[in-house]
Amino acid sequence: MSGSDSLVLMSRPSAHVLEVTMNRPEKLNALDAGLRAGLRDAVRVAREDKDVRVVVLSGAGRAFCVGADVGRESDYGTRTPEDDRRHILDDSIELCLDVWRLPVPVIAKISGYCLGLATILANCCDIVICDEEATVGWPVLPLGGGLISPTWIWHVGIHRAKEMSYQVGSKMTGRKAAECGFANHAVPAARLHSFTGEMAANIARISRDLLTLKKDALNQVHGRLGFEDAVRAGAAWDALAHTTQAAAEVRVQREREGLAATIAAWRSTSEPVDSTRTVP
């Protein structure tokens, strides 16, 4: 097991099962460069360690993950559109697709918040199990667009994906996430750990080579339908969305007042935002 001060913890809760825990609880496991690097290392371990047959992905503290770190100290919004597109693709999308391509099943164990980019990560897992009262949804600020919703279409359908995308801060409970197809199961919080552990152990009874074959068969069909292309295409749409006036105004407010105050201000008003112009 990795040290408790690591941004990603790895443990072996049962035979052939690797649990990977995002460990940045003070930031609700928001994805910064360090946490992304730790997840890449964990993916490499799962890929190379032939004893691993199942991966369980979880988050420490009050959240699975609240998505990308867009706090005042982050470098969000500082790049040209093309550099931004490449950064989103290399740092975020390919990380999610690395999870998708792992040769073993990955179970997302979601408690607390699962927002924004974290929902793409969950959608790239093989199985999603939620606490019934988990909060699953969109970012609470209008900072981007076109990145998250394409991955939701495959699981919940285009109408619900649009409904979630068009309303800033859209959210649903874990129970609702299971009902609409985002998650496989929603269970009481007290049962989440044991339920997920039992499923992982049951899957791990099968040899790694057979599990890899089963996953490849399913992923190849899903890939032919365009899943990976849709996930990658979101990087360009999101980079373009970052140039809109709405996103620029939020960034200015964040720099001036901090992220928490900006979120509070957005939640306290119902005034429309003019996002029809682009930043020069």
Side-chain angles (χ1 to χ4, degrees):
M1 181 171 180
S2 52
S4 60
D5 59 344
S6 299
L7 289 175
V8 172
L9 306 178
M10 287 182 278
S11 61
R12 302 294 183 113
S14 59
H16 309 299
V17 176
L18 173 67
E19 178 148 7
V20 176
T21 303
M22 292 175 279
N23 187 39
R24 202 180 174 219
E26 73 284 357
K27 296 293 185 180
L28 300 180
N29 300 316
L31 289 162
D32 66 351
L35 184 49
R36 285 181 171 94
L39 285 173
R40 288 192 194 91
D41 287 343
V43 166
R44 177 185 52 77
V45 169
R47 184 188 301 116
E48 296 177 359
D49 187 341
K50 304 306 180 185
D51 184 63
V52 174
R53 300 179 183 179
V54 182
V55 174
V56 175
L57 180 61
S58 61
R62 298 188 297 116
F64 173 74
C65 173
V66 293
D69 188 336
V70 295
R72 184 157 45 187
E73 66 276 11
S74 74
D75 58 1
Y76 176 82
T78 63
R79 302 179 183 87
T80 67
E82 174 53 25
D83 287 345
D84 197 20
R85 183 193 70 84
R86 178 53 56 186
H87 176 75
I88 295 166
L89 193 62
D90 291 346
D91 271 29
S92 299
I93 297 305
E94 288 303 326
L95 172 61
C96 294
L97 289 176
D98 281 347
V99 171
W100 169 257
R101 299 187 199 103
L102 269 177
V104 296
V106 182
I107 302 174
K109 182 173 72 174
I110 295 175
S111 60
Y113 296 98
C114 176
L115 303 177
L117 180 59
T119 67
I120 302 179
L121 185 59
N123 280 330
C124 286
C125 293
D126 299 274
I127 296 169
V128 178
I129 303 173
C130 287
D131 169 2
E132 289 177 337
E133 302 305 321
T135 299
V136 179
W138 252 247
V140 296
L141 294 173
L143 284 167
L147 179 66
I148 301 165
S149 49
T151 71
W152 277 64
I153 291 171
W154 301 90
H155 302 280
V156 306
I158 192 166
H159 287 155
R160 189 175 294 277
K162 286 182 175 181
E163 178 184 349
M164 296 291 287
S165 177
Y166 295 164
Q167 301 180 81
V168 175
S170 296
K171 60 186 178 182
M172 62 177 66
T173 64
R175 185 183 299 106
K176 186 67 176 179
E179 290 174 1
C180 73
F182 176 88
N184 298 71
H185 302 278
V187 299
R191 290 192 56 214
L192 181 63
H193 181 72
S194 61
F195 185 94
T196 306
E198 289 166 9
M199 180 179 289
N202 193 38
I203 294 172
R205 296 170 58 203
I206 302 175
S207 65
R208 178 174 167 127
D209 57 350
L210 182 53
L211 286 169
T212 298
L213 186 151
K214 287 173 175 282
K215 181 167 179 174
D216 281 351
L218 291 164
N219 278 14
Q220 283 188 27
V221 171
H222 211 38
R224 291 190 186 105
L225 294 173
F227 177 74
E228 290 194 29
D229 289 341
V231 175
R232 285 198 189 89
W237 290 115
D238 199 41
L240 182 61
H242 292 169
T243 70
T244 62
Q245 191 69 23
E249 289 171 356
V250 171
R251 288 197 300 271
V252 169
Q253 187 175 9
R254 180 202 61 179
E255 291 296 320
R256 184 177 63 245
E257 302 176 14
L259 183 61
T262 302
I263 292 172
W266 176 261
R267 286 173 169 166
S268 68
T269 182
S270 59
E271 291 298 313
V273 174
D274 179 5
S275 60
T276 60
R277 298 167 292 158
T278 57
V279 179

